Every structure is written in structure tokens, then in C-alpha cells.
Amino acid sequence: MSKEKIAFLQQIHPFDILPAEELESLAGTLSRTHQYKDMTLFVQGTTVLDYVHIVQDGRLEQYIKEGGEKLLHAFLSEGDIYGGLSVLFNNGVSIRTVTTIEDTTLFRLPKDIFLDVCTRFPDFTRHFSENFQRNMLQQPYVAFIAKSSRQGDADEGQAGFLNQSLTNIFSRDIISCGDGDSVQEAAKRMTEHKRSSIVVLDDAGGYKGLLTDHDLREKVVAAGLPLNTPASHTLSTPLVSLPADSRVFEAMLLMMQHGIKHLAITGPSQEILGIATEEDLLLTQGRSPVFLMHELRNAESIGELAARYRQLPGLVRSLLDSGAKAEHLNRVITAVSDAILTRVMDLALGETGPPPVKFAFMLVGSEGRREQTLKTDQDNAIVFEDVPQSEREETQRFFLRLGKIVSDWLNRIGFAYCDFDIMASNPDWCQPLSTWKDYFYRWIRAAEPENLLQASIFFDFRCGHGDCELIEALSQELFDSLGGWLGFFRHLADNALHFKPPLDFFGNLVLQTKGEQKNTLDIKTPMRLIVDFARIFALKNRIQQTNTLERIREMRRMGVLEPEDAQELEHAYSYLMQVRLSHQAAMIHEEQLPPDNFIHPKRLTHIERQSLKESFKRIRMAQGKMRMELTQATGIG
């Protein structure tokens, strides 16, 4: 069935542009639903969509109904998608009414998974934003949006992002030039500031108009004008503007009316506060992951990255409230963290200059497993290409400087320094590939259990930035070194079995008995037991994945775990992560406190407390299975 779903998605745009492994993952989340003829599935402005729907077979009609008349009437058939625009641009509220005109079969893709894909694949998202833009050119669509906006005071959810104020959307970094400056000078300034427009001022300093990248292409390059042409000869006039307290849909309408993609946003005294672009408006959906990723990729400074990162707890809380699963929240948090790292590395390499040899910025621990939460510190390292001994000190000095800059900037953004100094700024963890191979060789063949308590964090690693072939080479060396060394697995198991889930003999929760966290439960510790379990079996069975849930699923596929055992572990880990993220989001968003991992059981409902106990029982059973299977099935005793 999974192969059938994959083959189906491969024929549907924009799913056909996604990597094969992504399609395989998505296929596993699709569910199928059958609908009979003459059924109304979604009602415009009312139905909240939890899924994006793809027609497998059958026929439907979609429309906006106004005054008893069906407007924007269209049909959906095999391969057509419904719900993507509503999820991205209307807070999940259906934009149109959809009814079946034949018996119909639909594939359903969960909303949070769809948003996660949009976050990570901009070209995939662009298909929907361009489709939305085309729809906005149709008058009935405009009328529906205007009506939604007027209803916004009574029901803010109906209007979605279109009813939001422009206040926090547009860019406030204005650049300008004089009307006598050449188009070449204006273009240079736009390039330096990475802007798609520049305000042109007259001799008195007043606003004369806007020069955009479109103007430069159409009016200068295509027309063959010389580069010394004054900017005033090619700019768009008059300057089209809108007050900052206007709504998103008003800005879209004004842009369409004038056929423009840039809009000046003004203050009370008609001063220009900034420029809103068509892309800004189309990517804005309140606390949308797509919009946040867009902002991170275009951040110009560490301060701007820090400001954007502070939006993450609100985003996570919003997704939690909408029913998003913990696994997909982890993926969103990881995508945000990875985007920040990419931007930080770009800025840092701008400070240091190009690296002397190939290198990879390696992420370990929860970052390496893609399981970051809202309370996370830095766990990273640098692997660089082997160089002659005479060049090693100088080469390491360069990467240590790079590691220090990156670690300091990440700390400023909100990723705290590692308490154990496992960071790329530490000379121990900024080494050539050969040294890293020696590290793993010693950990595997010579380490005692107490040494592996610290070293085990390095067995969950992935490439964060740079030349990922170095990380692949290290991974291959790791698995090649593991063969036959049963003592290593025994030591890992000893560590994992040393800790117990927080349940007493009678099945009651065991809480902290003293200190600031008295009467709380540290939820991170029992989760770590599942992480340890998955790591041991993954390494033993040469499973390449580092994510805990992916490791468990692969063990199930390989027959290492029985389906029921794997499912129980998945449920336990996912539930504990859900509780952990909800707790942290509430601390930040509601209590205005730094997040931690200490849960107050009395604040949970009876059902939630029972679910915690059941999760801990499953962990205890998994430990029993690990003890038995590592001594019998794998020969480790």
C-alpha cells in the first residue's frame, strides 16, 4: 500500500519535486477516505481543515457562494489538491465550499505534516503561494476576502491572516537614493542591502517614487538603457502607499489594482515606515512556520535572528493548540534551529574568511537526533579535513576561531552554552577527521561504563553545515569499528539499565523530594531511557538513523522489535515529548519564565497522570526486554 501511495504522489505536483525519502515518509502518513455522491465536505468560512486532501478518484465541485449564486465555480478530479491554500493562508478555515458530484476517494495528509514540508521545501510552498496569487486576481475571491475581514471583529478566526494588521509584516529597513543618482548606483545599493526596491528622493528630500528590481529589468536592461541613466527616469510613480494599521487584504487589493509587487507603508505623518512586498504578504499567516523560516533565511544580523527565535515558543504553542503531534513539533523546532545555524555560519564565515580546508559543523546529542525542545543548549563540534602535521596547528586555530564565533552568537540568539563544554570552541571537539576516528575507536574498544556516560552523546551525530561527506565518512568508520566488540554494548546497556523510570513498587509517581524542584517530576530522565534503548539497538544493527522514533520504526521493520513492542515505545516517547513541549511552551508563553523539564503532576488531569504512569511502565518493560535480548538474542552478557 505504501508503494502505491508513493507512486501516486510522484505523479502529483508539487509532491513530484520532493526527494524520494520525503515521499516515502509522507506516504506513511496518508489516510484514505471514501465519500458518496452529493455530500458537502467543507463549507466556506466555517469548516476547519485538519487535513490537506488529494483526490485519488471521483469528482467534486468547489465554489464560493454569495447571495445564492455559486462564484469561482470549478471542479476537482484525480490528482487535484484541496486545503493547501486554506491551511497556509486562512488559518485552516476552508476558503470554498466543496461537494462531491460522484462517489469519491480522497487521500488525507495531516495539516501539521503539510506545514512541516512547507517549512523545509520552499519550492513546494511556492506552488501554493502562486496559486493563491492567481486566485486573488479574481473579483469573487476579493469579495470573499473583504467580507471575511468585515466579520473579523466578530470572529477573528474567520478572517485568518488576511484580517491581520500590516504593523509587524513589512520591512522597516528602508534604503534610498537621490533622483539624480544613476540606476547603476541604485542597483548597487539594493544589492548591498539585499533589497528588491529603493525609495527615490527629490532634491528637497521628499518621496518621489519607488525603484524596484522589476523596473531595472524591464525599463533598463530590456530597454537597453545605459547604466548612467538617472533613477528618476525609470522609477514607478506615483508612490503607492498604505497606512501601517491597514489590513493584509487591503494591501493585496491595492497591489492588484496598481499591478505592483511593492507597497510603501506610512505612519501618522505620511512618513514611510517601510516597504511591504507581495512575498511578505503571501508568506504571512500569523505564527506560520513558513513565514518564520522565510524571516530567518533573510535575517541580516544576530539580533534579528534572536528576535525571530523568540517567536518559536508562541508558534509551538499555537501548533500544540491546533493538535500538532510532538514528532512534527520536533521537526519544526529542528528546522528553525537548522535555519538559524545556516545563517549564523554564513555570517561567521563572512568574519573569518573562507576555510583553509573542507570542514563540517557536527551536531550531537538532541540536536543530532533532531529532538530539540524549547529548552536546549549547544552540543556541537567541528570535523575538518586531514592536513600535513606542519599545517595542523594553524588549521585548527582557524576552526577554533570559527567555532568560538558561532558558539558565542548561538548563545546570544538563545542556545545556551553547553555545561560540559561540548562545543566547537573547545579544542578537544575541533579536530581533523583522523582524530575523530581515533576518538570513536577508543570509546568503542577501551572505555568503561562511566566514560561512556559522557561519550554516548557523540553517538548521535549528524551534519549541521559544511561538507557532509566528512560526517558520512565518520559514520562509516563508526559502524565498521563496532563489529565484534560486545563489551561496548554491555557498557552502554549497563548505563541504560542503571536508571529506573520514576515509579515506586506500587506504581505511584516518584517525585523530587528536596530543593527548588521539590514535588516535581523530571520528565527528561525517563525519556532518556528510551533514547538509550533505541541507540543501543540501532548501533548493534547498523541502523543509520539518529532520531529515536525513526530508530524504533527501523527496528520494527527489520524484525529487531515486535510490532506491538515498537508501537508501545513510540506511544510512550511521543506522549512524554508532548507533555514536555506543552510544559515548556506554557512556562515561556504564559508564565514568562525560562523553560525547564520539571513537571508538576498536580497540575495534570487524572487521565494525564495515568498516561504518564502507563508510559513509565512501558519503559520499564522495554528495559526488561533489553536486559533479556542483549544477553540472549545478541549474545551480550
Side-chain angles (χ1 to χ4, degrees):
M1 180 60 188
S2 182
K3 290 183 179 179
E4 175 195 346
K5 293 177 180 177
I6 294 172
F8 178 73
L9 290 177
Q10 286 174 333
Q11 302 174 47
I12 309 300
H13 189 69
F15 292 94
D16 59 345
I17 67 174
L18 296 175
E21 61 272 16
E22 189 68 29
L23 284 180
E24 183 177 356
S25 175
L26 287 179
T29 68
L30 288 181
S31 58
R32 198 199 308 254
T33 178
H34 300 279
Q35 305 294 342
Y36 294 106
K37 179 182 177 181
D38 297 329
M39 292 182 64
T40 298
L41 304 185
F42 318 118
V43 178
Q44 69 186 61
T46 300
T47 306
V48 177
L49 301 176
D50 294 320
Y51 298 90
V52 171
H53 298 75
I54 312 168
V55 183
Q56 184 184 19
D57 59 60
R59 205 154 179 258
L60 310 94
E61 65 173 337
Q62 58 175 346
Y63 52 84
I64 290 176
K65 200 166 187 178
E66 185 69 35
E69 183 181 359
K70 294 180 180 179
L71 308 175
L72 289 185
H73 188 268
F75 296 100
L76 298 169
S77 56
E78 181 181 347
D80 288 331
I81 303 169
Y82 185 79
L85 303 188
S86 300
V87 168
L88 282 172
F89 303 116
N90 205 40
N91 279 351
V93 179
S94 184
I95 294 176
R96 307 194 200 202
T97 294
V98 178
T99 61
T100 57
I101 53 178
E102 296 178 2
D103 288 357
T104 301
T105 304
L106 300 166
F107 279 121
R108 304 188 306 173
L109 178 66
K111 177 176 68 175
D112 55 318
I113 295 178
F114 172 75
L115 284 172
D116 176 54
V117 175
C118 288
T119 299
R120 294 180 291 113
F121 296 96
D123 288 341
F124 180 85
T125 313
R126 192 169 296 114
H127 165 80
F128 295 95
S129 63
E130 289 175 351
N131 195 1
F132 182 75
Q133 182 181 358
R134 286 193 296 271
N135 285 333
M136 284 293 293
L137 295 176
Q138 303 179 69
Q139 185 57 37
Y141 217 83
V142 173
F144 172 74
I145 291 166
K147 182 178 179 181
S148 295
S149 178
R150 289 194 297 271
Q151 293 173 342
D153 293 338
D155 185 357
E156 187 175 346
Q158 296 286 321
F161 92 106
L162 299 168
N163 196 41
Q164 293 181 29
S165 167
L166 293 173
T167 304
N168 297 319
I169 294 174
F170 60 90
S171 170
R172 296 175 184 268
D173 186 8
I174 308 169
I175 59 172
S176 62
C177 68
D179 59 359
D181 291 340
S182 69
V183 291
Q184 184 178 34
E185 292 170 326
K188 282 182 178 179
R189 196 163 301 173
M190 290 165 63
T191 301
E192 290 170 0
H193 293 270
K194 296 182 179 179
R195 292 287 176 265
S196 58
S197 66
I198 186 169
V199 177
V200 180
L201 307 175
D202 60 25
D203 292 338
Y207 307 124
K208 190 166 185 177
L210 201 64
L211 181 63
T212 69
D213 50 4
H214 180 266
D215 294 328
L216 292 172
R217 288 195 305 271
E218 297 293 320
K219 300 177 182 179
V220 179
V221 178
L225 294 181
L227 295 179
N228 61 358
T229 301
S232 58
H233 290 187
T234 58
L235 78 168
S236 299
T237 57
L239 185 67
V240 182
S241 64
L242 201 63
D245 57 359
S246 302
R247 308 293 177 88
V248 168
F249 92 93
E250 294 176 288
M252 285 186 164
L253 295 182
L254 196 59
M255 285 182 174
M256 286 186 293
Q257 290 167 2
H258 290 272
I260 57 177
K261 297 180 182 294
H262 296 76
L263 191 66
I265 306 301
T266 59
S269 303
Q270 296 301 305
E271 73 280 14
I272 296 181
L273 301 178
I275 304 295
T277 69
E278 183 181 57
E279 187 178 24
D280 292 334
L281 301 182
L282 289 175
L283 288 178
T284 302
Q285 186 209 352
R287 289 177 171 145
S288 163
V290 178
F291 180 63
L292 179 56
M293 291 294 290
H294 170 73
E295 292 293 285
L296 290 172
R297 292 190 186 103
N298 290 278
E300 295 293 330
S301 66
I302 300 304
E304 189 175 349
L305 286 170
R308 299 304 177 191
Y309 184 57
R310 287 194 291 271
Q311 298 175 11
L312 182 60
L315 167 61
V316 169
R317 186 56 187 265
S318 176
L319 293 173
L320 279 166
D321 291 342
S322 68
K325 296 179 181 178
E327 179 181 5
H328 304 302
L329 292 173
N330 283 143
R331 292 175 72 174
V332 169
I333 293 171
T334 297
V336 168
S337 300
D338 286 355
I340 289 173
L341 175 62
T342 297
R343 197 72 193 99
V344 166
M345 291 298 301
D346 289 342
L347 295 171
L349 288 169
E351 291 269 332
T352 62
V357 295
K358 295 179 180 178
F359 81 102
F361 195 85
M362 183 166 69
L363 302 175
V364 300
S366 62
E367 293 178 88
R369 296 191 303 273
R370 295 183 173 90
E371 293 168 5
Q372 290 161 280
T373 65
L374 297 176
K375 176 180 171 56
T376 185
D377 59 4
Q378 296 182 49
D379 294 312
N380 51 56
I382 284 180
V383 183
F384 57 87
E385 197 174 23
D386 284 305
V387 295
Q389 190 64 36
S390 59
E391 301 174 15
R392 180 165 170 171
E393 184 177 346
E394 183 178 354
T395 303
Q396 186 187 41
R397 188 181 302 116
F398 173 90
F399 287 115
L400 280 173
R401 182 184 173 222
L402 176 64
K404 181 71 165 60
I405 293 172
V406 171
S407 296
D408 288 347
W409 284 357
L410 288 174
N411 181 67
R412 283 174 53 190
I413 290 168
F415 300 88
Y417 292 125
C418 175
D419 291 337
F420 300 100
D421 203 21
I422 300 175
M423 295 183 292
S425 55
N426 183 337
D428 289 341
W429 314 127
C430 179
Q431 293 287 342
L433 178 60
S434 58
T435 299
W436 277 104
K437 289 180 178 180
D438 288 342
Y439 282 168
F440 279 102
Y441 183 90
R442 294 202 304 270
W443 288 331
I444 291 168
R445 305 195 176 203
E448 293 298 317
E450 56 271 18
N451 303 123
L452 283 176
L453 276 174
Q454 288 296 325
S456 61
I457 192 174
F458 290 101
F459 289 91
D460 300 333
F461 64 87
R462 66 182 175 95
C463 182
H465 186 87
D467 193 325
C468 293
E469 290 183 0
L470 292 170
I471 302 301
E472 292 171 7
L474 188 59
S475 178
Q476 185 62 47
E477 179 73 16
L478 165 62
F479 284 109
D480 289 346
S481 300
L482 285 171
W485 287 90
L486 302 183
F488 168 75
F489 293 102
R490 183 187 302 115
H491 294 333
L492 281 183
D494 287 343
N495 287 334
L497 295 170
H498 178 74
F499 296 96
K500 307 296 180 185
L503 286 177
D504 63 18
F505 179 79
F506 300 100
N508 298 313
L509 296 174
V510 176
L511 307 181
Q512 303 283 323
T513 58
K514 56 185 177 180
E516 292 183 8
Q517 306 301 338
K518 185 178 180 180
N519 297 324
T520 66
L521 184 150
D522 182 2
I523 200 167
K524 182 178 179 179
T525 299
M527 292 184 68
R528 190 177 66 193
L529 301 180
I530 302 179
V531 170
D532 291 343
F533 175 88
R535 180 190 300 116
I536 291 170
F537 281 96
L539 293 175
K540 182 68 178 66
N541 291 279
R542 298 183 69 91
I543 293 172
Q544 299 286 337
Q545 288 92 331
T546 58
N547 178 266
T548 299
L549 292 178
E550 291 177 0
R551 281 171 165 171
I552 293 172
R553 288 166 188 157
E554 184 64 13
M555 285 188 275
R556 174 179 178 174
R557 189 191 68 79
M558 295 173 63
V560 177
L561 282 180
E562 292 295 324
E564 184 178 351
D565 295 335
Q567 186 177 41
E568 286 186 351
L569 272 183
E570 276 193 57
H571 286 171
Y573 189 78
S574 297
Y575 178 72
L576 295 177
M577 182 63 80
Q578 197 91 15
V579 172
R580 186 178 178 187
L581 288 171
S582 296
H583 168 72
Q584 292 177 356
M587 288 192 72
I588 298 171
H589 197 62
E590 297 174 6
E591 302 176 37
Q592 306 294 310
L593 294 172
D596 61 30
N597 295 301
F598 294 95
I599 308 298
H600 294 265
K602 289 185 177 180
R603 298 180 184 177
L604 303 177
T605 65
H606 174 73
I607 294 177
E608 288 172 332
R609 289 195 296 272
Q610 286 301 114
S611 297
L612 272 183
K613 293 177 183 179
E614 288 301 315
S615 297
F616 296 155
K617 289 177 184 177
R618 288 171 180 169
I619 295 172
R620 192 155 58 189
M621 292 172 62
Q623 285 186 308
K625 290 180 181 295
M626 177 166 61
R627 182 180 289 107
M628 181 179 65
E629 292 184 25
L630 287 175
T631 56
Q632 296 179 5
T634 66
I636 302 173

